[in-house]
Amino acid sequence: MLVTTDEILQHAHKNMYAVGAFNFSNMENLHAIVEAAEEMKSPVILAASQSAIKYAGLECMVAMVRVAAKNSSVPMALHLDHGTDYQTLIRCIANGFTSVMIDGSHHDLQGNIDVTREIVKIAHAAGVSVEGELGRLSGVEDQISVSEKDSIYTNPAEAKTFVEATGIDSLAIAIGTAHGKYKGVPKLDFDRLVEIKKLLDMPIVLHGSSGVPLDDLKKAVSLGINKINIDTDVRQAFTDGVHEVFEAKPSEYCIRKICGKGKEHMRKVVCEKIECFGSAGKA
Ligand SMILES: [Zn+2]
């Protein structure tokens, strides 16, 4: 069944577990995520980025998710990941997404409040959940010094101001993760997470979670993270599956065999993450 992200995340927040938000850009990706969620009896968030929407088409993505949700017993939400384009945000809200992220993190605090509040007003009128972001996720190659931490990572007091001024349903925070592939092992600022969770008492979101050791993710969940975004790890798994097909048979041309193997690899990784996040059996 198709539900809002808020419905999924409020339960996760109250029961101290996290739900995976897995990115998809085609049918095989979607099937991999949904099959994994069903196997694990877990709620799941289907995340579409602006570039994925450009690639697959908004109507096509919504239609595929509606069919998947109708035929499934696990709660799932369709979520716009990193909405920065006003038109795309409105199109998603108006056309079947049950959740959007408005990413105003490149603005200063007041600018971020202004753009986020505007989207919350429209989205909530349509029954759609909103995720905001405060703080900046560094690039994977950036070295962050201790003095830089306070200007880049989420400031707990500012986070409280931001949430109260905007009315968002969940907040993405920066505590040391980055988008893309890590070269070393990221060091998460768990103390900051504890402080933010205590002050806000609401669903908290972690981006850039691919490549973060599962033990660190588990710890983050135990300290209050309720939504974990995974994009790079599932893309890599899908591509590994496709490579495996061509290594065994370079002349393979059956699309179903090629994409099917990609799907199989991706499904396994989604199951692993669900197990780690503690959402198995929560559907
Ligand atoms: Zn992200």
Side-chain angles (χ1 to χ4, degrees):
M1 66 199 119
L2 195 58
V3 300
T4 64
T5 300
D6 193 45
E7 201 173 306
I8 290 175
L9 293 186
Q10 282 301 331
H11 189 267
H13 168 59
K14 284 179 191 113
N15 296 282
M16 293 298 281
Y17 65 92
V19 176
F22 302 99
N23 284 75
F24 73 107
S25 27
N26 65 18
M27 184 190 76
E28 287 82 359
N29 295 166
L30 176 66
H31 285 177
I33 301 165
V34 170
E35 284 174 20
E38 282 174 343
E39 186 182 326
M40 306 298 284
K41 298 190 180 6
S42 167
V44 76
I45 297 165
L46 306 159
S49 66
Q50 290 179 166
S51 25
I53 290 172
K54 225 177 191 173
Y55 171 79
L58 186 137
E59 284 183 322
C60 186
M61 293 185 102
V62 171
M64 285 195 300
V65 167
R66 279 190 176 147
V67 172
K70 197 178 85 169
N71 295 328
S72 176
S73 56
V74 303
M76 53 185 88
L78 175 56
H79 174 76
L80 171 66
D81 190 22
H82 287 284
T84 51
D85 175 57
Y86 187 77
Q87 222 184 335
T88 306
L89 278 152
I90 302 303
R91 279 179 67 218
C92 288
I93 293 167
N95 290 290
F97 277 60
T98 60
S99 171
V100 293
M101 173 194 189
I102 159 73
D103 182 354
S105 60
H106 45 287
H107 294 289
D108 62 10
L109 179 62
Q110 191 53 51
N112 194 352
I113 287 174
D114 291 343
V115 294
T116 304
R117 186 158 48 190
E118 162 98 4
I119 293 302
V120 168
K121 201 173 143 194
I122 300 164
H124 282 180
V128 170
S129 311
V130 181
E131 172 184 331
E133 176 168 316
L134 189 67
R136 282 189 291 123
L137 262 68
S138 56
V140 276
E141 285 165 23
D142 297 352
Q143 289 294 325
I144 297 169
S145 67
V146 178
S147 58
E148 281 171 323
K149 261 192 187 177
D150 276 324
S151 62
I152 292 173
Y153 289 4
T154 308
N155 173 294
E158 276 186 15
K160 192 162 172 60
T161 306
F162 181 67
V163 168
E164 283 171 356
T166 57
I168 49 169
D169 304 295
S170 62
L171 177 71
I173 59 169
I175 54 165
T177 56
H179 288 118
K181 284 192 184 185
Y182 293 97
K183 281 203 170 132
V185 179
K187 241 182 110 49
L188 305 194
D189 188 344
F190 291 113
D191 294 342
R192 193 176 293 263
L193 166 59
V194 170
E195 212 182 319
I196 293 169
K197 187 74 175 184
K198 210 170 116 196
L199 262 178
L200 301 187
D201 192 29
M202 69 185 287
I204 304 293
V205 179
L206 191 65
H207 283 241
S209 313
S210 288
V212 177
L214 291 182
D215 282 345
D216 283 352
L217 291 180
K218 251 186 201 156
K219 185 169 175 189
V221 173
S222 76
L223 298 175
I225 291 291
N226 305 112
K227 171 174 176 278
I228 299 183
N229 287 27
I230 300 287
D231 187 6
T232 304
D233 278 352
V234 288
R235 283 202 228 188
Q236 185 66 57
F238 190 91
T239 310
D240 286 348
V242 172
H243 279 298
E244 197 181 286
V245 172
F246 287 118
E247 266 160 34
K249 189 182 171 193
S251 63
E252 182 58 66
Y253 66 93
C254 173
I255 294 168
R256 290 183 292 275
K257 279 186 188 152
I258 298 163
C259 295
K261 193 53 105 178
K263 182 189 115 176
E264 207 180 285
H265 279 239
M266 183 165 160
R267 191 180 56 79
K268 254 183 230 156
V269 170
V270 174
C271 283
E272 272 168 33
K273 303 287 183 191
I274 287 175
E275 183 71 53
C276 166
F277 302 164
S279 67
K282 298 291 200 298

